[in-house]
Amino acid sequence: MSVQLLDKTRKINKFLHNNHFTKVVFNDICKVMMECLKSHILVISKKR
């Protein structure tokens, strides 16, 4: 179980590091997290 959690964490971390110089698109991070967590994800921004 701990290996699976570590792999999922690495996948999310890799996505965030690959987008270091560009803005992270909420839809993209939601897709990555949905795959890892096998759950629905909603990211809310404070920006208007």
Side-chain angles (χ1 to χ4, degrees):
M1 172 119 180
S2 62
V3 174
Q4 291 174 343
L5 179 60
L6 184 59
D7 288 340
K8 291 175 182 182
T9 304
R10 285 179 176 155
K11 185 174 182 179
I12 294 169
N13 194 28
K14 182 179 175 183
F15 174 81
L16 293 173
H17 279 284
N18 285 342
N19 289 313
H20 182 71
F21 295 106
T22 61
K23 293 181 181 178
V24 175
V25 178
F26 285 151
N27 288 338
D28 294 342
I29 190 66
C30 285
K31 287 178 187 176
V32 171
M33 291 181 73
M34 281 175 57
E35 292 172 6
C36 289
L37 302 174
K38 306 238 187 291
S39 157
H40 295 287
I41 304 294
L42 175 65
V43 179
I44 300 173
S45 171
K46 290 183 178 182
K47 287 184 173 183
R48 292 182 179 211

